[in-house]
């Protein structure tokens, strides 16, 4: 019982530390779109996409390999020191090379040199914190993990607010030497990266004592095993980064106007409400999946859970799309960004498909074939790249949105098809397709038919109709749950 309570407590804390930063990131969207023109926000979005991509490359699967060998090797200190030394020197080499060629990178990317330098520093600081940060999780210290994770976001958010919203006014109305010395006109993008840099530095300072505690002993044989384990994870990580973030980079490469990329990136965030639901659900359900794997009725349990995930997800999907024009007033109130609003339903559905894929992917995790997940992600990445290259020249950022939904839809169907052969689960396909199809049709009509979108009457009626439809079909189960309470 005590171990169960401990697991629940750790899951709750880790979940909070994961979901809360995502929630606070919505505030950053509002801040950036309030104080940045479309073009500048487009530049920030593209550079952040590079950050995510190179974060994956710089970690090269070593984080996951660390957890694997920390739990399997008897000499844990050797694992810690080997992983730390590997990450330390690879980061230093990367840092030195990129700084050396910073002007070439700036010329090639058409971004200012100072933005490139800030990005390199952020990447290096984040990479140096990976193993010490992972060690905290491996040693089951969720409170410290959550404090560091949330502190990073709070510091970043606070500094962004100070630099963008308050510093210009304070510098203009004060003779304070310090304020005058740190204020630069038309340096909003620079301040965003300075804020991220300081937050990353503070995070590294939190874990820096670990560098002085380890024995700097490098085990080549162990390192080779860790690299062998980690490289497939690197490939899967790159594929996932392509699916999640490479669209902005491709839009830039294919010469879409940076102002349009800014509008696309801002409206993309409105569709991320589904990500909060998906993330919170995944954190809670994965431990449940594994703990029930040995039960005789496990497949039926998984099927039921998936059906109700689709029901709740469909309801959220419908609600977000119907009220997308209300949400934009809070998240992206500047009208110049609204030109890309037509992508919102596609992004919401794409993230919903990714959530369904997460449910369907339980089969290869239970039979210890996690490499299959990497292969499926690679297929998704290929679809993403191919459709972006094909569609962007024709329909600009709308092509990226279509590519996203088709990539995740492809991953979802591949996982289902393969899973039914390797680990059959009796999904209620009729109900799942009915709820999913009904939500897609109702949300599509309410959003893309102008007169219905403007009045909200059809959208609100659709939500009530969908709720009634679910109640009518799931009445017996719903009443059982109510009676238990």
């Amino acid at each position: 019982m005590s171990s169960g309570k401990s697991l629940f407590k750790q899951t709750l804390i880790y979940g909070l530390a994961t979901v809360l930063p995502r929630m606070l990131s919505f505030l950053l969207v509002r801040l950036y779109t309030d104080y940045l023109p479309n073009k500048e926000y487009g530049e920030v979005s593209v550079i952040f996409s590079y950050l995510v991509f190179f974060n994956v490359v710089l970690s090269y699967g070593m984080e996951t390999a660390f957890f694997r060998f920390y739990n399997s090797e008897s000499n844990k200190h050797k694992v810690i020191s080997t992983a730390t030394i590997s990450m330390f020197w690879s980061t230093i080499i990367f840092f030195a090379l990129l700084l050396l060629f910073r002007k070439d990178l700036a010329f090639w990317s058409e971004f200012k040199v100072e933005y490139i330098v800030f990005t390199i520093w952020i990447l290096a600081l984040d990479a140096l914190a990976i193993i010490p940060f992972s060690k905290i999780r491996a040693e089951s210290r969720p409170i410290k993990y959550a404090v560091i994770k949330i502190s990073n976001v709070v510091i970043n958010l606070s500094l962004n607010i100070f630099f963008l919203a308050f510093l210009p006014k304070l510098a203009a109305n004060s003779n304070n030497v310090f304020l005058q010395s740190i204020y630069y006109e038309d340096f909003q993008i620079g301040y965003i990266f300075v804020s991220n840099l300081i937050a990353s530095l503070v995070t590294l300072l939190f874990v820096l004592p670990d560098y002085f505690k380890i024995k700097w002993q490098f085990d080549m044989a162990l390192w080779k095993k860790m690299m062998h384990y980690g490289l497939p994870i690197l490939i899967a990580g790159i594929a996932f980064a392509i699916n999640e973030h490479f669209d902005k980079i491709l839009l830039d490469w294919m010469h879409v106007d940076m102002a349009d990329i800014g509008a696309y990136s801002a409206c993309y965030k409105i569709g991320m409400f589904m990500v909060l639901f998906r993330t919170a659900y995944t954190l809670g359900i994965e431990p449940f999946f594994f703990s029930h794997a040995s039960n005789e009725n496990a497949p039926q349990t998984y099927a039921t859970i998936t059906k109700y995930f689709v029901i709740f997800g469909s309801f959220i999907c419908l609600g977000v799309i119907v009220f997308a024009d209300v949400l934009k007033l809070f998240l992206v109130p500047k009208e110049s960004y609204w030109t890309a609003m037509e992508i919102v339903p596609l992004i919401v559905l794409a993230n919903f498909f990714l959530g369904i894929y997460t449910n369907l992917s339980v089969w290869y995790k239970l039979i210890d074939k996690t490499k299959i997940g990497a292969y499926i992600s690679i297929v998704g990445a290929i679809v993403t790249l191919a459709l972006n290259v094909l569609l962007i020249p024709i329909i600009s950022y709308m092509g990226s949105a279509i590519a996203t939904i088709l990539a995740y839809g492809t991953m979802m169907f591949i996982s289902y098809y393969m899973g039914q052969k390797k680990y059959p689960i009796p999904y209620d396909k009729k109900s799942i397709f009915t709820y999913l199809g009904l939500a897609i049709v109702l949300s599509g009509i309410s959003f893309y038919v102008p007169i219905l979108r403007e009045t909200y009457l059809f959208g609100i009626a659709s939500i009530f109709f969908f709720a009634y439809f679910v109640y009518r079909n799931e009445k017996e189960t719903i009443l059982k749950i109510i009676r238990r309470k």
Side-chain angles (χ1 to χ4, degrees):
M1 186 69 179
S2 59
S3 61
K5 286 183 178 180
S6 176
L7 176 62
F8 175 77
K9 179 183 176 182
Q10 290 190 32
T11 302
L12 183 65
I13 295 170
Y14 286 133
L16 180 66
T18 303
V19 174
L20 186 59
R22 287 184 179 272
M23 294 175 67
L24 292 176
S25 71
F26 283 108
L27 298 177
L28 284 175
V29 176
R30 172 64 188 265
L31 184 70
Y32 293 162
T33 54
D34 274 352
Y35 288 93
L36 296 179
N38 291 38
K39 181 178 181 297
E40 292 188 1
Y41 184 62
E43 290 183 29
V44 171
S45 300
V46 172
I47 296 173
F48 277 173
S49 295
Y50 278 114
L51 266 171
V52 172
F53 188 80
F54 280 103
N55 271 329
V56 173
V57 173
L58 266 177
S59 66
Y60 49 89
M62 185 56 71
E63 181 180 13
T64 307
F66 170 81
F67 285 117
R68 164 70 174 79
F69 287 91
Y70 184 90
N71 289 307
S72 63
E73 294 285 323
S74 57
N75 191 338
K76 300 186 187 305
H77 295 292
K78 189 187 293 184
V79 175
I80 295 168
S81 62
T82 300
T84 303
I85 291 169
S86 178
M87 285 297 303
F88 178 81
W89 285 112
S90 62
T91 301
I92 295 300
I93 292 169
F94 167 88
F95 177 75
L97 285 174
L98 262 65
L99 272 187
L100 182 64
F101 294 104
R102 63 191 181 279
K103 292 183 179 178
D104 301 284
L105 292 169
F107 175 79
W108 174 76
S109 64
E110 298 182 353
F111 294 123
K112 292 181 179 179
V113 175
E114 55 262 39
Y115 301 163
I116 300 296
V117 173
F118 286 140
T119 303
I120 294 168
W121 272 100
I122 293 167
L123 284 168
L125 292 173
D126 287 346
L128 290 172
I130 287 175
I131 299 302
F133 204 45
S134 300
K135 180 171 170 281
I136 293 170
R137 290 180 60 193
E139 293 174 346
S140 299
R141 292 186 284 169
I143 300 293
K144 185 174 182 179
Y145 173 89
V147 168
I148 297 173
K149 194 91 170 177
I150 294 170
S151 295
N152 177 282
V153 178
V154 171
I155 290 168
N156 187 18
L157 177 63
S158 302
L159 288 173
N160 270 282
I161 293 171
F162 171 73
F163 284 129
L164 297 180
F166 293 109
L167 182 59
K169 297 174 184 176
L170 292 171
N173 300 311
S174 171
N175 293 322
N176 186 285
V177 177
F178 174 72
L179 292 175
Q180 295 290 340
S181 66
I182 64 172
Y183 175 67
Y184 298 92
E185 196 172 351
D186 298 324
F187 192 64
Q188 289 94 332
I189 295 179
Y191 285 131
I192 290 171
F193 291 111
V194 168
S195 301
N196 277 267
L197 179 60
I198 294 173
S200 294
L201 177 60
V202 172
T203 297
L204 180 59
L205 290 176
F206 266 118
V207 299
L208 193 60
D210 283 14
Y211 274 93
F212 300 100
K213 293 177 183 177
I214 69 166
K215 295 178 180 178
W216 288 75
Q217 297 174 343
F218 188 76
D219 187 318
M220 179 60 74
L222 175 61
W223 181 77
K224 287 180 179 178
K225 288 193 290 183
M226 295 178 80
M227 290 297 293
H228 180 74
Y229 184 88
L231 286 178
I233 295 165
L234 167 62
I235 295 169
I238 290 174
F240 185 79
I242 289 172
N243 290 328
E244 286 277 288
H245 299 281
F246 215 68
D247 51 350
K248 287 89 173 175
I249 296 173
L250 287 169
L251 288 167
D252 181 37
W253 285 359
M254 301 185 76
H255 307 293
V256 172
D257 189 88
M258 196 60 76
D260 288 337
I261 298 176
Y264 170 78
S265 300
C267 292
Y268 194 103
K269 293 293 185 180
I270 297 174
M272 297 295 278
F273 275 98
M274 182 60 71
V275 176
L276 292 178
F277 168 64
R278 189 190 80 219
T279 303
Y281 171 85
T282 302
L283 286 167
I285 205 63
E286 281 206 334
F288 176 85
F289 280 154
F290 287 107
S291 65
H292 282 68
S294 59
N295 290 359
E296 187 178 338
N297 63 340
Q300 182 59 55
T301 302
Y302 299 152
T304 303
I305 289 171
T306 299
K307 183 175 82 167
Y308 284 97
F309 173 84
V310 171
I311 291 173
F312 283 112
S314 296
F315 196 81
I316 292 170
C317 176
L318 182 58
V320 171
I321 293 172
V322 166
F323 292 108
D325 288 320
V326 176
L327 293 172
K328 76 183 182 186
L329 298 175
F330 296 96
L331 277 178
V332 191
K334 194 183 288 187
E335 290 188 27
S336 61
Y337 286 96
W338 296 352
T339 54
M341 278 298 293
E342 66 265 28
I343 71 161
V344 172
L346 298 180
I347 300 305
V348 173
L349 280 171
N351 281 290
F352 188 22
F353 286 171
L354 184 58
I356 297 173
Y357 164 74
T358 301
N359 269 276
L360 298 175
S361 67
V362 64
W363 67 270
Y364 63 71
K365 294 176 183 177
L366 292 176
I367 63 173
D368 292 327
K369 298 288 185 181
T370 51
K371 284 186 179 180
I372 293 174
Y375 300 146
I376 294 174
S377 292
I378 291 169
V379 172
I382 293 170
V383 172
T384 296
L385 292 172
L387 289 179
N388 269 285
V389 171
L390 179 67
L391 297 176
I392 287 174
I394 303 171
I395 49 177
S396 187
Y397 53 71
M398 196 67 180
S400 292
I402 292 171
T404 302
I405 192 171
L406 290 179
Y408 289 146
T410 300
M411 292 167 61
M412 178 178 68
F413 280 109
I414 290 175
S415 183
Y416 169 75
Y417 178 77
M418 293 182 68
Q420 291 304 91
K421 290 190 172 185
K422 303 287 186 180
Y423 187 93
I425 295 175
Y427 295 113
D428 185 351
K429 295 187 290 293
K430 181 180 178 182
S431 294
I432 287 172
F433 279 113
T434 300
Y435 293 131
L436 181 59
L438 184 61
I440 290 173
V441 170
L442 292 176
S443 58
I445 293 172
S446 68
F447 189 90
Y448 289 114
V449 178
I451 190 170
L452 298 179
R453 179 175 170 184
E454 291 168 5
T455 61
Y456 289 103
L457 291 177
F458 179 83
I460 294 171
S462 296
I463 292 172
F464 279 107
F465 173 75
F466 186 81
Y468 169 74
F469 184 80
V470 170
Y471 175 76
R472 192 187 71 179
N473 286 278
E474 307 295 330
K475 183 177 179 180
E476 186 177 334
T477 303
I478 293 171
L479 290 176
K480 281 182 181 178
I481 293 172
I482 293 172
R483 285 169 189 153
R484 284 179 187 173
K485 290 182 178 180

